[in-house]
Amino acid sequence: MIKYVVERREKIVMIQLYTSPSCLSCRKVKKYFNKYGIKYVEKNILHTKLSRDDIFKMLANSENGFEDIISVRSKVFKENNLDINSMKIHELIDFIIANPTILKRPIIVTDYDLQVGYNDDDITLFLPPEIRDRECNFCLGDEDCDYTKAIHIE
C-alpha cells in the first residue's frame, strides 16, 4: 500500500495596491499596511502602465463591474462624456489603460478580494487572522458582535 503525504502550506495572499502620488487615501492604506507588516506590491497608475490583466483582476473581484472602479467624477470621464454602458468591454479597458486617472483610488486587489478607497472598518479584511483576532475591540463581554460574526471568530 502506498501512502500519500500532502504537505499543507500557509496560503500567501498577494496584495496589489493601485495608487497615485497625490492621493491621501492611498497614503492611509500604505501607512496601515506598513503598521501591521502587511506585504503589498504598489503600482502607481500614473508612472506604471496598467495591463489588461490588472483590470481583469479588478473586475473579477468586483460586485458591480466597472462601476466599482471607475470614477464618474473624474476630469477625464467628464471631458470625454463617456457612456460606459454603451461601450464594449475591450473599448472600456483600452480607455482605462490610456487614461488611468479615470480609476478610483486606491484600489486594493487580492486573488479573492477588492476594496476601493480607504475605510477604517473594511481595511481590516487584509489583516492576517491572528492580528485581526487580537485587534478586535468591538465586543462587549461574551456576546458575539457583528465584527466577530463577520470574521467567524469562535
Side-chain angles (χ1 to χ4, degrees):
M1 177 183 271
I2 300 174
K3 291 185 178 181
Y4 292 94
V5 178
V6 177
E7 183 179 338
R8 292 187 178 201
R9 294 185 182 177
E10 188 175 314
K11 182 161 177 69
I12 299 172
V13 176
M14 177 55 69
I15 297 174
Q16 186 78 40
L17 177 60
Y18 298 89
T19 65
S20 64
S22 62
C23 171
L24 177 62
S25 294
C26 297
R27 290 194 295 271
K28 285 182 177 181
V29 169
K30 291 191 293 188
K31 183 178 179 180
Y32 184 88
F33 285 171
N34 292 336
K35 174 182 175 182
Y36 289 103
I38 299 169
K39 292 181 170 57
Y40 60 94
V41 176
E42 182 178 6
K43 192 166 196 175
N44 181 323
I45 64 169
L46 301 181
H47 297 118
T48 306
K49 187 174 180 175
L50 292 170
S51 70
R52 295 178 80 75
D53 285 340
D54 289 328
I55 297 166
F56 280 125
K57 195 165 187 180
M58 291 175 199
L59 294 172
N61 293 312
S62 70
E63 291 181 14
N64 302 302
F66 287 105
E67 291 177 20
D68 286 346
I69 63 172
I70 290 180
S71 173
V72 295
R73 297 184 305 170
S74 68
K75 183 178 178 183
V76 70
F77 186 91
K78 291 176 182 176
E79 285 176 349
N80 288 277
N81 198 24
L82 289 182
D83 179 9
I84 62 175
N85 296 321
S86 68
M87 296 175 78
K88 294 181 180 175
I89 292 174
H90 71 87
E91 293 172 333
L92 197 45
I93 290 172
D94 291 342
F95 187 85
I96 293 169
I97 291 170
N99 302 279
T101 58
I102 197 170
L103 291 176
K104 296 175 181 177
R105 294 177 293 277
I107 297 177
I108 309 165
V109 181
T110 69
D111 290 338
Y112 308 102
D113 298 302
L114 170 85
Q115 181 176 324
V116 179
Y118 178 85
N119 179 299
D120 285 328
D121 295 328
D122 295 340
I123 195 79
T124 60
L125 168 73
F126 299 99
L127 284 175
E130 63 277 3
I131 295 174
R132 199 177 326 136
D133 295 349
R134 186 179 69 226
E135 292 291 317
C136 180
N137 57 5
F138 298 100
C139 309
L140 299 172
D142 293 332
E143 292 181 30
D144 282 342
C145 66
D146 291 338
Y147 178 78
T148 56
K149 289 176 188 172
I151 61 170
H152 309 292
I153 294 178
E154 294 182 16

